[in-house]
Amino acid sequence: MNDGPGDGGERTRGTRHAGIGDGREGVVGPGGLPGRGATELLRDRSPSPLTEVDDERFTRHGVRLLLKREDLLHPEVVGNKWRKLVPTLREMVATGDRTLLTFGGAHSNHLRATAAAGRLLGLSTIGVVRGEELADRPPNPSLAACLADGMRPHFVSRSDYRRRADPAFIAGLRERFGPFRSVPEGGTNTAAVRGCVAPGRELAAADPRPDVVAVACGTGGTLAGLAAGLAPGMRALGVPVLRGGFHAEAVRALQQEAFGGPRGRWTVDDRFHHGGFARVPAELEEFALDFADRHGLPTVERVYVAKVLWALRELAAERAFRRGTVLAAVITG
């Protein structure tokens, strides 16, 4: 097992770098100015659509269900990842920074979104991936998409991955890769949390205005920002998709850093992770397929979205919501 960056033991798989001429919508136009793909990525795309679905599993309890379609904000940098990444990407375009490094696991939606954004903006992207054993295996669909978009994956041991916030670890990465802008796992930093205030404000201005807004939680950044944008009388409900019971503390810390203190009313329910991150047991798979079929959706994303929809169905069955409650599920993609 390697001890840290720069010791020759870490594994980096070489990749092609997508760009102009590879058939993908690109990047930098004449004179080094942002091309059409970059302009489309960075423009304001709010608000995301809000639609109501007629589902008897909710209506029989006197509850309405809305879907906040963040997954439709951008076709490739999907949902809350667009909200989180665009503030940093706009800064990089303004300052001329050319390399973005970030962190994630083998099934990370954040890595996929970062790689796609890098292709669209003509940026080099580096993904520090948890699990050095993955370097010698065929890539799963998530990692394959990252490779296709030109991301350079850097596989590290789980013990080294836990050091991802350690300044010495970051210094080793800079020694290996040169200058870069970095964003944390899940894209969650202060700019990202502030970027996630917007969907809360959009929902506060919606008609009908939801009483409870549910969102899946990985790092907790989307919940921290979303809650801050809601109006008085509204509540954000976080549904963690991984075990650990750390999300309430994480959200408090993120709001302190982003806003100087607590913002909005929010709660967390840790019961619906289905065994852990990227765990999709048969009953959850069946539920996702059924929900998509009932409501004419092309798919229901399994790692995050299926779990928050499952949670709302179960909570409605438990009569956790009074009759007349309007729910909104944030479809993060």
Side-chain angles (χ1 to χ4, degrees):
M1 193 72 70
N2 53 294
D3 296 323
D7 67 354
E10 294 181 329
R11 313 296 295 279
T12 303
R13 178 184 290 147
T15 69
R16 70 177 183 87
H17 289 272
I20 295 173
D22 68 352
R24 316 289 296 276
E25 178 159 354
V27 291
V28 180
L33 297 174
R36 185 165 61 90
T39 303
E40 283 297 300
L41 171 62
L42 296 178
R43 72 172 175 85
D44 184 8
R45 308 179 73 90
S46 300
S48 60
L50 183 66
T51 61
E52 183 165 7
V53 295
D54 184 8
D55 192 312
E56 54 86 19
R57 295 169 295 185
F58 294 88
T59 56
R60 69 184 176 215
H61 300 296
V63 174
R64 298 169 68 181
L65 177 63
L66 312 177
L67 304 182
K68 178 63 168 165
R69 297 295 304 274
E70 294 283 281
D71 57 317
L72 299 180
L73 280 169
H74 192 275
E76 296 182 81
V77 183
V78 175
N80 66 330
K81 304 308 179 187
W82 184 87
R83 302 275 193 188
K84 287 181 169 184
L85 283 171
V86 160
T88 295
L89 295 172
R90 287 174 176 154
E91 289 180 9
M92 292 183 70
V93 168
T95 59
D97 292 340
R98 304 307 305 159
T99 301
L100 180 60
L101 179 144
T102 193
F103 305 84
H107 299 276
S108 171
N109 288 345
H110 168 64
L111 289 184
R112 291 184 65 171
T114 300
R119 169 173 55 78
L120 290 167
L121 293 175
L123 303 175
S124 297
T125 56
I126 301 165
V128 180
V129 184
R130 181 179 60 248
E132 61 184 353
E133 72 280 0
L134 299 171
D136 298 318
R137 298 178 184 173
N140 65 26
S142 291
L143 290 178
C146 293
L147 294 172
D149 278 331
M151 175 173 275
R152 184 178 181 184
H154 184 55
F155 298 93
V156 299
S157 68
R158 283 161 172 76
S159 60
D160 281 340
Y161 190 83
R162 287 192 288 272
R163 299 175 55 215
R164 61 190 177 275
D166 183 342
F169 184 78
I170 299 296
L173 293 174
R174 293 192 190 281
E175 181 179 348
R176 185 181 189 107
F177 294 113
F180 56 75
R181 177 77 68 97
S182 67
V183 294
E185 181 182 48
T188 295
N189 54 19
T190 298
V193 172
R194 292 173 180 163
C196 290
V197 172
R201 289 176 176 164
E202 292 168 20
L203 287 163
D207 183 16
R209 191 177 84 175
D211 303 293
V212 178
V213 181
V215 65
C217 296
T219 59
T222 303
L223 175 60
L226 176 75
L230 297 179
M234 302 174 71
R235 172 170 64 95
L237 168 64
V239 179
V241 300
L242 65 164
R243 295 177 294 181
F246 62 88
H247 283 87
E249 181 179 351
V251 171
R252 283 190 288 269
L254 289 166
Q255 289 197 331
Q256 179 67 39
E257 184 176 355
F259 310 118
R263 291 290 186 277
R265 181 178 169 225
W266 56 269
T267 57
V268 171
D269 195 323
D270 283 296
R271 295 179 293 155
F272 305 108
H273 52 68
H274 288 267
F277 186 73
R279 299 287 180 87
V280 184
E283 64 269 20
L284 185 62
E285 176 70 20
E286 181 179 349
F287 169 79
L289 290 170
D290 176 70
F291 193 95
D293 183 62
R294 283 176 185 244
H295 302 300
L297 303 174
T299 189
V300 170
E301 189 270 341
R302 305 302 198 262
V303 176
Y304 293 92
V305 176
K307 291 182 180 181
V308 76
L309 293 171
W310 174 288
L312 288 177
R313 184 195 67 174
E314 293 300 295
L315 289 166
E318 293 172 7
R319 303 187 185 280
F321 309 116
R322 69 182 185 277
R323 297 186 70 84
T325 295
V326 179
L327 306 176
V330 179
I331 309 302
T332 50

